[in-house]
Amino acid sequence: MFEKLKKHWQVNGLNLALIIATFALGGSLCGWIGRKLLLLTGMEKDITWWLLYILLITLLWPLCVLLISYPLGQFAFFKKYVAKIGRKVAGKHKAENPLRLAIFASGAGSNAKKIIDHFAGSDKVRVALVVCNNPTAGVLDIARRADIPSLLIKKEHFFSGDHYLTALQQAGIDFIVLAGFLWKVPAELIRSYPQKIVNIHPALLPGYGGKGMYGHFVHEAVLAAGEKESGITIHYVNEHYDEGNIISQARCTLTNTDTPDTLAHKIHKLEHYFFPRTIEFLLQQL
Ligand code: GRF
């Protein structure tokens, strides 16, 4: 249960202990103040007394936990927590403006699926659009099954025209994720989404990147070079293939028996775990 709470609230063990202490002390404090206030009225301890008591502690509870949270260093957490309860009470269960994500993909879409699954049910992030340049790509089925609108793009319009900027703006897109998208992103689009377009590459950049380095070509090159390890790179997108600033990398070791297929499998495992989580982290910083 504690592990679940740590994950849910994204806190470490010490903070979790301090949060629980704040709940306990804040609860006791509001009970104590509620009783003292009612004592001052001199009322009988009847049903009205209990109703008033419940009302008082409900009103006092947020103030008490905020007060206790301060010296325990948990004020930031409880400020958010109390605000969230306030929103729920006011009937606004969902964040009013979740961040809207577009996934650009042209292939099978296994990464797109993991990202869609990761944010399903999130009230902070919505995968709002899947952009694809290949009408037979598996990613379009994935989008359809998840009820996510897709946009099939054409080369002429992507590289001239308005680069689909109007369509992205109309869909309210805040952040773009390239997950197996092979076209170079036009400079105008990059300028419109500064530090808001990220890509995943199936090798440890700056090695094995650049034009033509995708899918099996990457894995074949890595194995042919006799590398002892490979991995994934998540990076911002700039005007050059695979050259934007690196955000994070994860590695896997290679053995003599590895083939492009077994390596692809290892890489996909890393991608499926790290990509959605890295995107979530980046979106939290916006
Ligand atoms: C991934 O390996 C990714 O690194 C690369 O394209 C591949 C897409 O795979 N950019 P999938 O379509 O997500 O399965």
Side-chain angles (χ1 to χ4, degrees):
M1 176 190 146
F2 291 129
E3 283 310 310
K4 259 192 176 172
L5 281 177
K6 275 195 319 198
K7 206 172 155 218
H8 182 65
W9 286 333
Q10 296 186 336
V11 293
N12 60 26
L14 175 65
N15 280 323
L16 181 65
L18 290 169
I19 287 169
I20 292 171
T22 306
F23 274 119
L25 293 171
S28 310
L29 180 65
C30 84
W32 182 79
I33 298 177
R35 274 194 304 277
K36 287 281 167 208
L37 286 175
L38 285 178
L39 216 66
L40 290 177
T41 66
M43 283 172 69
E44 288 282 305
K45 235 183 183 183
D46 54 11
I47 181 79
T48 322
W49 189 97
W50 281 106
L51 287 175
L52 270 177
Y53 178 67
I54 291 168
L55 184 71
L56 263 178
I57 59 171
T58 308
L59 295 174
L60 285 170
W61 185 84
L63 297 174
C64 291
V65 285
L66 283 173
L67 193 73
I68 298 285
S69 70
Y70 198 73
L72 293 187
Q74 302 306 313
F75 187 73
F77 173 88
F78 276 93
K79 202 172 119 192
K80 268 198 219 155
Y81 190 84
V82 168
K84 196 172 163 188
I85 292 181
R87 279 199 302 273
K88 278 196 176 166
V89 171
K92 297 176 187 162
H93 296 274
K94 302 258 174 224
E96 275 169 11
N97 291 313
L99 285 165
R100 294 172 71 81
L101 205 71
I103 302 177
F104 284 40
S106 337
S110 69
N111 279 284
K113 170 138 182 37
K114 290 287 169 186
I115 297 164
I116 291 168
D117 290 348
H118 186 81
F119 291 113
S122 164
D123 59 358
K124 298 196 181 78
V125 179
R126 177 173 310 156
V127 178
L129 189 65
V130 167
V131 176
C132 179
N133 62 292
N134 171 7
T136 61
V139 72
L140 290 173
D141 290 329
I142 291 171
R144 208 170 300 123
R145 278 197 292 273
D147 230 356
I148 295 170
S150 53
L151 174 68
L152 194 58
I153 59 173
K154 290 202 170 78
K155 217 168 204 160
E156 320 81 82
H157 195 44
F158 191 61
F159 292 107
S160 53
D162 80 343
H163 324 282
Y164 291 97
L165 191 55
T166 313
L168 293 170
Q169 285 167 344
Q170 272 167 3
I173 299 304
D174 299 299
F175 200 87
I176 296 173
V177 170
L178 310 188
F181 184 72
L182 299 183
W183 291 354
K184 198 191 250 185
V185 179
E188 290 79 356
L189 210 54
I190 294 169
R191 272 200 293 276
S192 304
Y193 285 92
Q195 300 287 89
K196 286 181 183 158
I197 309 181
V198 296
N199 179 42
I200 189 157
H201 184 75
L204 297 170
L205 292 174
Y208 308 101
K211 195 169 166 46
M213 272 296 181
Y214 60 88
H216 268 221
F217 297 114
V218 179
H219 306 319
E220 277 156 16
V222 168
L223 292 172
E227 298 285 358
K228 295 278 169 282
E229 62 174 14
S230 188
I232 60 167
T233 305
I234 299 169
H235 64 94
Y236 289 109
V237 171
N238 68 10
E239 288 97 279
H240 307 284
Y241 274 116
D242 303 325
E243 284 183 19
N245 287 343
I246 292 176
I247 299 161
S248 67
Q249 293 187 311
R251 289 156 196 275
C252 58
T253 47
L254 303 180
T255 64
N256 293 338
T257 57
D258 268 318
T259 64
D261 277 344
T262 61
L263 177 51
H265 182 70
K266 286 181 182 178
I267 292 294
H268 261 129
K269 262 178 106 172
L270 288 176
E271 293 183 334
H272 294 167
Y273 182 81
F274 286 104
F275 204 19
R277 287 164 178 80
T278 307
I279 294 164
E280 183 173 12
F281 173 79
L282 294 172
L283 293 176
Q284 279 165 357
Q285 319 304 311
L286 289 183

